[in-house]
Amino acid sequence: MDLPQQVIELDDLTLRAFNGEADLPELFRVIEESLEHLRPWMPWVAEHSLGRTTDFLAGRAERWASGDEFTYAIVLDEAIVGACGLLRRDDTPDNAREIGYWLHPAATGRGVATRTARALVEQAFRLQGIGYVEVVHDPANVASGAVPARLGFTEHLRRPAERLAPAETGEVQIWRLTRRQAGTLTAAEAC
């Protein structure tokens, strides 16, 4: 099985596979500082604790090796400013992957999420058999939806979803980018 790169260098931005316990103090601090920013959209924030962050980091290597989830620390100016991932949920078809991301509020509005998502798209299409990539978010989370829009994803569908975080509307917006669309975007960027 082909696996994505564990370290992706993007000028001043680096995406790197989490380093278990070594990343625990910094990741926990970044989450703590970001709680109010993340709380409206991220259900896991309600159960945030040192133990949960420890468990999250402990499972990364196994999930990476299985091909189910490739989770990266987003590092800007040598500091963790968020996390992102390329994942396959239980109901995700074998030929698809979903991209997720979150940032510390001080890292927003600087193109970090867009560059991160672009790099994850490239990694997804390096995997054998992947035909499309999706971004799923609550339609009220306008900032999260701006990222796939900037990258040429198309609005695929909306569907009902359980409200798990305070600002969620009970619906999700799914954006999709096919391998063919991604190839067209890459060719256009090269010109």
Side-chain angles (χ1 to χ4, degrees):
M1 167 180 31
D2 293 331
L3 297 175
Q5 293 174 254
Q6 290 206 359
V7 177
I8 304 166
E9 298 286 346
L10 305 167
D11 298 322
D12 63 334
L13 182 65
T14 301
L15 308 181
R16 63 166 176 76
F18 277 104
N19 188 10
E21 286 184 31
D23 283 331
L24 180 60
E26 187 175 10
L27 179 62
F28 184 74
R29 178 189 54 75
V30 170
I31 294 170
E32 286 281 299
E33 292 175 2
S34 304
L35 288 175
E36 292 313 306
H37 173 70
L38 299 174
R39 188 176 318 281
W41 311 113
M42 302 290 183
W44 56 266
V45 169
E47 297 178 3
H48 168 67
S49 68
L50 182 59
R52 288 217 180 240
T53 304
T54 301
D55 291 347
F56 169 80
L57 289 172
R60 296 306 92 201
E62 181 180 324
R63 294 194 58 82
W64 192 289
S66 73
D68 288 333
E69 187 172 329
F70 308 105
T71 310
Y72 295 88
I74 303 172
V75 179
L76 182 65
D77 300 325
E78 300 182 24
I80 295 176
V81 297
C84 64
L86 187 57
L87 56 115
R88 184 176 174 275
R89 298 189 192 277
D90 290 340
D91 61 345
T92 304
D94 288 342
N95 70 331
R97 291 296 180 272
E98 182 181 327
I99 291 173
Y101 40 84
W102 66 263
L103 292 172
H104 185 286
T108 63
R110 300 166 57 183
V112 173
T114 301
R115 290 187 292 155
T116 294
R118 180 181 288 120
L120 292 177
V121 166
E122 291 170 7
Q123 294 302 306
F125 288 128
R126 291 178 57 177
L127 299 173
Q128 185 173 359
I130 299 302
Y132 63 92
V133 178
E134 294 182 330
V135 172
V136 179
H137 68 94
D138 191 282
N141 188 345
V142 176
S144 195
V147 172
R150 278 192 291 273
L151 294 176
F153 282 65
T154 56
E155 292 186 47
H156 178 62
L157 65 90
R158 288 185 183 211
R159 69 170 185 238
E162 184 179 357
R163 292 185 65 203
L164 299 173
E168 290 182 334
T169 62
E171 184 177 52
V172 293
Q173 170 67 56
I174 301 171
W175 297 79
R176 182 174 284 180
L177 183 71
T178 65
R179 182 180 290 275
R180 185 171 146 261
Q181 289 170 312
T184 302
L185 292 174
T186 303
E189 289 175 356
C191 295

